[in-house]
Amino acid sequence: MKKTDNPDNPQTKYYHRKYPQQHQPYPGLDSAMSPRPDCGEQTYIGAARLAGRRALITGGDSGIGRAVAIAYAREGADVALSYLPDEETDAQDTAKYIRDAGARAFLFPGDIGHEKFCTQLVKKAARAMGGLDIMVLNAGYQQFSDDIMDLTTAQLQRTFEINLFSMFWMVRAALPILQPGASIITTTSIQAYQPGKSLLDYAASKAAIMAFTRALAKQLADRGIRVNGVAPGPIWTALQVAGGRAQSTIPEFGMDTPMGRAGQPAELAATYVLLASDDASYTTAEIYGITGGNHTM
Ligand code: NAD
Ligand code: MG
């Protein structure tokens, strides 16, 4: 059945055609993608749900992190962004949206695969914003590899340092700063539940994030700090075109979901807002799936 663009139908509300093949070197830029990911720039409407909060978002320059940054700013929060130096243009563009929303934006380029940088990042972000209420641990590294024999130890270590170890390092640095009411949100993946054969290291790291999120939530409940995760399905972002998957799989990316298309970052932002807000005061140790119908459990 040929699908027409009906904005009321979730199947066709966002881009639902084949994607053109395109490769970028890691980490890739949103600005160089075709079509450009929709991060809610023209659509997200805030309602002061995070007024006065201060949020640190890793990987906040592009994709899901950028959609969250724009939404948080429009909900009244100041936002600190972490990203790699190569992503400066994407980060500056996201910062402009944050400032246009009347919020403050602070930029911290650097590699979160190193403990020292993670510790400094949290301290500097909290100092710049005058405190820290929300941590969105969203940065991620995904490089596909079809054969375990080709998966180098260097890549294995890098995947776990960036995706998992950075979370331990940043939470340790943040705990002396976070107050009751604070919220930590991780980004895991449907790969934690339905691991693909070309993503052994990535899927394993995302499963580890899921366990980390749930265990940490139990540990921090006593401090009045909630910890939850989001598990996206296929979302159109730079991660996918910068080595995250084989080019041959780009055109039909996301079409194997019941919704019949990949998701856009804009479709995740409201869940990160909810998890950060007081409305979710009884929600902790949960992982919210946003998968276009392939579900997580
Ligand atoms: P993205 O490329 O736009 O964002 C990932 C970000 O991670 C980059 O912008 C970069 O700033 C950051 N990053 C990577 N390596 C880093 C390093 N060494 N130091 C500091 N920052 C680093 O892609 P995205 O899809 O929005 O990714 C956000 C999260 O969503 C990731 O954790 C990813 O694993 C997860 N995820 C994505 C999908 C998807 O289909 N796009 C699906 C499931 C989960
Ligand atoms: Mg980026």
Side-chain angles (χ1 to χ4, degrees), residues 27-30 59-63 83-84 87 90 238:
L29 291 174
D30 268 14
D61 57 301
S62 60
Y83 54 95
L84 285 164
E87 301 172 301
D90 269 3

Side-chain angles (χ1 to χ4, degrees), residues 6-81:
N6 174 1
D8 295 328
N9 182 343
Q11 287 189 299
T12 55
K13 181 175 176 184
Y14 290 94
Y15 188 87
H16 55 89
R17 297 185 171 78
K18 286 193 176 178
Y19 287 100
Q21 286 190 352
Q22 52 198 286
H23 175 72
Q24 292 187 50
Y26 161 80
L29 291 174
D30 268 14
S31 61
M33 290 180 71
S34 171
R36 213 182 147 138
D38 186 333
C39 296
E41 293 89 345
Q42 312 306 326
T43 47
Y44 191 89
I45 298 170
R49 293 174 78 189
L50 302 175
R53 303 288 170 89
R54 296 146 302 187
L56 169 62
I57 304 172
T58 65
D61 57 301
S62 60
I64 296 165
R66 171 178 163 101
V68 176
I70 291 170
Y72 279 13
R74 291 182 186 172
E75 295 289 356
D78 287 336
V79 181
L81 304 177

Side-chain angles (χ1 to χ4, degrees), residues 3 14 30 35 42 52 55-56 115 132 157-158 163 168 176 191 201 204 210 212 238 246 254 283 285 291 293-294:
K3 293 177 190 162
Y14 290 94
D30 268 14
Q42 312 306 326
L56 169 62
E115 180 170 6
L132 189 60
Q157 280 174 341
R158 190 101 175 105
N163 293 2
F168 282 86
Q191 289 291 325
D201 54 333
M210 181 178 69
F212 168 75
T283 304
T291 65
N294 273 343

Side-chain angles (χ1 to χ4, degrees), residues 26-28 30 33 58-66 82-85 87 90 110-114 117 137-142 158 162-163 167 187-191 202 206 209 230-240 242 245 253 265 272:
Y26 161 80
D30 268 14
M33 290 180 71
T58 65
D61 57 301
S62 60
I64 296 165
R66 171 178 163 101
S82 132
Y83 54 95
L84 285 164
E87 301 172 301
D90 269 3
D111 188 339
I112 63 164
H114 302 285
F117 178 77
L137 304 176
N138 164 77
Y141 178 66
Q142 174 183 328
R158 190 101 175 105
I162 296 169
N163 293 2
M167 294 189 177
T187 304
T188 170
S189 171
I190 193 167
Q191 289 291 325
Y202 175 84
K206 291 294 178 178
I209 291 171
V230 175
I235 311 299
W236 181 242
T237 69
L239 182 103
Q240 299 294 349
R245 59 177 45 249
F253 179 55
Y272 286 83

